[in-house]
């Protein structure tokens, strides 16, 4: 899951796309819904009408309308993201009282559940971070970037508090969403899944032994993967990356691991629930023909087709990572150069896919399906 793509889509037509991002510190004063904000960071894109896409030093993206801007100035100083303490302070400002901070090497975790739970999430995310890095820089020889600053994570003690935050940030009901990555704030938010009130280490272990905890841990890893993908330069926030790539990759990394005491260990093992769903769909002809699938995100956005689209995106990523790894990495590197707030359109997507995987889509599709039927 990946929030706020739709909000950004509305902006695409407003910003003409002059790309700035000079690495120089800019300061902007804005007024929004009666509140003033003093932002330090860098202008990423500036539109002809004066609207701005701004990256503030807490790694948040702001889509700013011209009429919201009260003043704007550039400095000769270098733009630097906030350090962990300053990021914690900035994040706490948006949270109710009673939150504490747990820092790991790469993450700043603001929590009001137990420290034991924050530690557990921190250890999963640090392990994901190491695995993720090694995955790209090792055999795939892609020297992905380090995140520019620490990455913000928010842990709520229970679903009710989290639901209130979701309502405020996304203006929607929480439903069954247990965690999400927000493209604009760059935060992963979630709630304590154990069902215990401020769980001890022992209670967390107890939770990890329950069979339904696996799906939940997969979601925690999934959202963390989205955050890493966007903060290591593999994908660009608000760029027109196909959702089958974005979501399929997160599902490729999320695979829960029954054998691990912490709930997650490995990248790229078969994602059983997704495989089962994909196979079931194949047998009842709920399969999306490849050309449509790669051309358009619409099936991911409709609640009627989303689950099926996700399963197929996992399958396609699994195939590409396992069988076409070299070309897939090249294709991903191509996507990583896309600019924010530009839309490619369906034809261009198909064209780019062919460029990396061959003109004969039918042949590709036959091989893909044959391979996936044989996955055990
Ligand atoms: Zn996702």
């Amino acid at each position: 899951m990946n929030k706020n793509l739709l909000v950004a889509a509305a902006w695409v037509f407003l910003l003409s796309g002059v790309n700035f991002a000079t690495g120089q510190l800019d300061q902007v004063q804005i007024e929004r819904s009666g509140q003033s904000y003093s932002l330090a960071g860098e202008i990423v894109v500036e539109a002809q009408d004066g609207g701005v896409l701004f990256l503030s030093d807490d790694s948040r993206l702001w889509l700013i309308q011209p009429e919201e801007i009260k003043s704007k100035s550039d400095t000769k100083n270098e733009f630097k993201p906030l350090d962990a303490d300053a990021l914690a302070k900035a994040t706490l400002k948006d949270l109710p009282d009673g939150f504490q901070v747990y820092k790991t090497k790469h993450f700043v975790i603001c929590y009001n559940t137990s420290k034991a739970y924050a530690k557990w999430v921190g250890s999963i995310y640090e392990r994901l971070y190491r695995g993720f890095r090694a995955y790209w820089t090792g055999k795939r020889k892609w020297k992905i970037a380090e995140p520019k600053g620490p990455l913000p994570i928010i842990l709520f003690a229970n679903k009710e508090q989290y639901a209130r935050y979701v309502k405020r940030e996304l203006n929607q009901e929480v439903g069954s969403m247990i965690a999400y990555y927000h493209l604009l704030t760059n935060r992963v938010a979630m709630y304590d899944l154990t069902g215990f009130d401020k769980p001890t280490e022992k209670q967390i272990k107890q939770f990890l032994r329950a069979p339904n905890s696996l799906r939940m841990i997969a979601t925690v890893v999934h959202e963390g993967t989205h955050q890493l993908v966007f903060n290591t330069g593999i994908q660009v926030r608000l760029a027109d990356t196909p959702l089958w790539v974005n979501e399929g990759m997160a599902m490729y990394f999320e695979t829960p691991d029954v054998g691990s005491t912490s709930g997650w260990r490995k990248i790229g093992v078969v994602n059983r629930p997704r495989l089962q769903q994909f196979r079931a769909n194949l047998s009842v002809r709920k399969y999306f023909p490849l050309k449509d699938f790669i051309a358009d995100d619409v099936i991911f956005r409709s609640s009627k087709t989303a689950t099926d689209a996700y399963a197929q995106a996992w399958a396609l990523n699994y195939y590409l990572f396992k069988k076409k790894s070299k070309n897939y990495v090249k294709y991903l590197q191509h996507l990583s150069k896309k600019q924010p707030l530009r839309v490619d359109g369906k034809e261009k997507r198909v064209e780019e896919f062919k460029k990396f995987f061959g003109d004969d889509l039918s042949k590709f599709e036959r091989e893909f399906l044959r391979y996936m039927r044989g996955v055990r």
Side-chain angles (χ1 to χ4, degrees):
M1 184 91 61
N2 208 321
K3 288 293 159 187
N4 258 28
L5 288 168
L6 288 174
V7 180
W11 268 76
V12 167
F13 304 100
L14 298 175
L15 292 171
S16 64
V18 185
N19 218 281
F20 269 67
T22 53
Q24 199 173 284
L25 178 73
D26 299 305
Q27 280 162 335
V28 187
Q29 293 273 352
I30 67 166
E31 217 166 287
R32 178 173 285 179
S33 321
Q35 259 195 305
S36 308
Y37 299 89
S38 198
L39 308 177
E42 65 176 338
I43 293 173
V44 184
V45 179
E46 186 155 10
Q48 265 158 359
D49 69 353
V52 158
L53 174 64
F54 193 82
L55 174 70
S56 52
D57 51 11
D58 55 358
S59 74
R60 189 192 281 237
L61 282 174
W62 302 72
L63 293 154
I64 305 171
Q65 308 274 6
E67 61 273 17
E68 293 178 313
I69 300 174
K70 296 299 148 211
S71 72
K72 200 168 78 186
S73 60
D74 52 1
T75 70
K76 293 277 167 282
N77 302 333
E78 189 194 339
F79 164 60
K80 273 204 194 97
L82 299 179
D83 64 18
D85 289 331
L87 178 67
K89 212 171 140 197
T91 311
L92 290 176
K93 262 195 213 157
D94 289 340
L95 296 171
D97 289 342
F99 273 75
Q100 286 173 298
V101 179
Y102 177 73
K103 289 178 283 182
T104 67
K105 201 169 169 200
H106 301 98
F107 299 90
V108 168
I109 300 172
C110 297
Y111 68 96
N112 67 348
T113 173
S114 64
K115 188 172 179 187
Y117 194 80
K119 267 179 144 170
W120 173 67
V121 171
S123 73
I124 291 247
Y125 275 2
E126 283 297 341
R127 193 160 346 125
L128 172 66
Y129 185 95
R130 285 194 300 274
F132 185 87
R133 249 204 113 62
Y135 186 84
W136 296 108
T137 55
K139 219 166 108 189
R140 287 150 203 90
K141 296 194 176 68
W142 186 358
K143 286 207 173 66
I144 56 168
E146 297 275 354
K148 288 193 178 117
L151 301 172
I153 311 288
I154 302 173
L155 300 182
F156 290 90
N158 56 52
K159 192 170 179 181
E160 291 67 41
Q161 295 172 10
Y162 165 74
R164 274 198 291 278
Y165 179 83
V166 168
K167 181 84 192 164
R168 206 187 66 203
E169 187 168 75
L170 304 175
N171 198 24
Q172 70 172 56
E173 297 307 322
V174 66
S176 59
M177 184 172 73
I178 61 177
Y180 67 99
Y181 167 71
H182 196 295
L183 269 171
L184 293 183
T185 65
N186 203 30
R187 295 170 182 165
V188 172
M190 67 182 95
Y191 63 95
D192 186 327
L193 300 164
T194 60
F196 294 105
D197 182 32
K198 299 195 168 40
T200 60
E201 220 174 292
K202 206 172 148 198
Q203 287 169 322
I204 294 168
K205 286 207 172 108
Q206 193 181 323
F207 159 73
L208 289 171
R209 283 195 297 270
N212 66 349
S213 68
L214 287 177
R215 278 308 312 149
M216 295 183 178
I217 297 160
T219 306
V220 170
V221 175
H222 179 107
E223 303 307 329
T225 304
H226 278 313
Q227 192 185 44
L228 287 183
V229 161
F230 285 116
N231 285 277
T232 53
I234 292 179
Q235 286 166 25
V236 178
R237 283 155 79 191
L238 304 187
D240 193 17
T241 309
L243 276 183
W244 72 263
V245 174
N246 179 279
E247 290 300 346
M249 191 186 290
M251 284 181 281
Y252 183 76
F253 281 79
E254 80 185 17
T255 44
D257 188 351
V258 198
S260 163
T261 49
S262 67
W264 183 85
R265 189 175 51 190
K266 261 194 228 136
I267 289 161
V269 294
V270 173
N271 194 323
R272 294 284 155 201
R274 309 290 184 185
L275 179 65
Q276 274 162 17
Q277 171 113 37
F278 179 63
R279 288 244 178 90
N281 289 349
L282 274 182
S283 62
V284 294
R285 296 180 186 277
K286 265 205 299 189
Y287 169 76
F288 306 98
L290 183 68
K291 197 175 167 192
D292 305 336
F293 188 72
I294 57 173
D296 202 343
D297 291 342
V298 70
I299 48 171
F300 287 87
R301 300 198 192 281
S302 152
S303 57
K304 272 190 200 139
T305 46
T307 323
D308 301 327
Y310 271 65
Q312 189 162 329
W314 169 78
L316 185 53
N317 273 266
Y318 186 81
Y319 175 66
L320 290 170
F321 276 122
K322 298 289 181 196
K323 298 305 285 178
K324 307 262 171 203
S325 177
K326 254 192 192 149
N327 289 10
Y328 194 34
V329 169
K330 278 187 195 149
Y331 173 66
L332 292 171
Q333 285 171 337
H334 172 78
L335 296 178
S336 75
K337 295 185 186 86
K338 296 217 177 271
Q339 304 294 333
L341 303 172
R342 304 251 185 118
V343 174
D344 282 343
K346 298 181 192 182
E347 270 167 40
K348 191 167 176 201
R349 279 201 181 169
V350 174
E351 207 180 284
E352 290 186 342
F353 187 90
K354 283 181 174 171
K355 205 173 133 195
F356 292 90
F357 305 107
D359 282 329
D360 193 345
L361 285 186
S362 312
K363 181 169 168 256
F364 179 99
E365 194 164 21
R366 277 196 306 278
E367 287 169 1
F368 161 56
L369 291 175
R370 190 187 312 131
Y371 180 80
M372 288 315 295
R373 284 196 175 98
V375 171
R376 293 281 166 270

